[in-house]
Amino acid sequence: MAEEKTELPGSECPFQAAMDLISGKWTMSIINTLMGGTMRFKQLERAVTGINTRMLVKELKLLESKELVHRQAYATVPPTVEYSLTEKGRALQPVIVAVQQWSGNQM
Amino acid sequence: MAEEKTELPGSECPFQAAMDLISGKWTMSIINTLMGGTMRFKQLERAVTGINTRMLVKELKLLESKELVHRQAYATVPPTVEYSLTEKGRALQPVIVAVQQWSGNQM
């Protein structure tokens, strides 16, 4: 039997490496929402249709580790946390516009 | 305790509905590869870096159900199957170009 090709991380292919960063279910919707500017957690949760608290917490941690989102905590009482796009995250604007155009024409 | 917002299907938001169609880990790499033209399974498996047989079978079924890929079977002996992009799949070209430019500039 031909040896089963093991699934390698896609990083060998630059395109797949890019998709690995942005292909999470909610990733691009969160980035699209933050294009509007800095937001707090509850604002984001209300703005991203369909997401719940647990999923948003997980996705924001992932986005921060991928350097697409910046997390800023303030030592207020109670503490406040704000999320904004990094330069790398904001540079996804053309991808978002292309998806919006495809969605408008094809769906 | 504030009632936990259940995770709804993103379909209420057109952008999220579009991302639901294209945000699979290998989805856009398969579509990008088929931009080159009709291919058979083994050609596709070799061309999509890092994917394995089981994953490609699963993704192609999904892509067919989402009307992004067309599957054409021929009653040859043994039977041959070819995959190509539908018009809806081919219309993702600008999204692919935008991801490639982002990847080139940001990674």
Side-chain angles (χ1 to χ4, degrees):
Chain A
M1 210 187 76
E3 197 211 308
E4 163 100 355
K5 198 175 126 191
T6 47
E7 189 183 312
L8 299 168
S11 50
E12 289 165 51
C13 161
F15 182 81
Q16 184 58 43
M19 288 313 301
D20 286 345
L21 285 182
I22 63 173
S23 64
K25 175 175 166 69
W26 299 102
T27 303
M28 290 301 280
S29 282
I30 294 168
I31 288 172
N32 185 21
T33 306
L34 285 172
M35 286 287 175
T38 301
M39 278 187 163
R40 293 188 184 174
F41 187 89
K42 278 294 172 197
Q43 286 176 297
L44 255 173
E45 190 181 10
R46 278 194 298 269
V48 179
T49 313
I51 202 165
N52 68 25
T53 308
R54 188 183 49 79
M55 207 60 217
L56 184 54
V57 167
K58 191 180 146 205
E59 282 282 338
L60 285 171
K61 271 195 190 124
L62 213 55
L63 283 163
E64 211 186 328
S65 68
K66 294 174 180 175
E67 296 170 351
L68 295 173
V69 163
H70 173 66
R71 179 180 184 277
Q72 179 64 55
Y74 297 94
T76 49
V77 178
T80 43
V81 177
E82 289 183 342
Y83 297 92
S84 55
L85 292 175
T86 60
E87 191 244 321
K88 188 175 174 182
R90 191 162 290 283
L92 283 163
Q93 173 76 13
V95 177
I96 287 173
V97 169
V99 171
Q100 286 168 332
Q101 285 166 347
W102 180 73
S103 164
N105 298 332
Q106 299 293 334
M107 294 178 66
Chain B
M1 210 189 73
E3 198 211 308
E4 162 100 359
K5 200 175 123 189
T6 46
E7 191 183 313
L8 298 168
S11 50
E12 290 166 50
C13 161
F15 182 80
Q16 184 59 43
M19 287 313 300
D20 285 346
L21 286 184
I22 62 173
S23 64
K25 175 174 167 68
W26 297 102
T27 303
M28 291 301 279
S29 281
I30 294 168
I31 290 173
N32 185 22
T33 304
L34 284 172
M35 286 287 173
T38 302
M39 278 187 163
R40 295 190 182 172
F41 187 91
K42 278 292 172 201
Q43 286 176 298
L44 256 174
E45 190 180 8
R46 276 193 298 270
V48 179
T49 313
I51 203 166
N52 68 26
T53 307
R54 188 182 50 77
M55 207 60 218
L56 184 54
V57 167
K58 191 180 146 202
E59 282 283 338
L60 284 171
K61 273 195 187 123
L62 215 54
L63 282 164
E64 213 188 329
S65 69
K66 293 175 182 176
E67 297 171 350
L68 294 174
V69 163
H70 172 68
R71 179 179 186 277
Q72 180 65 53
Y74 297 95
T76 49
V77 180
T80 43
V81 177
E82 288 183 342
Y83 297 92
S84 55
L85 291 175
T86 60
E87 191 242 325
K88 187 176 176 181
R90 192 161 291 283
L92 282 163
Q93 173 75 16
V95 177
I96 286 174
V97 168
V99 170
Q100 285 168 333
Q101 282 164 351
W102 180 74
S103 164
N105 297 333
Q106 298 293 335
M107 294 179 68

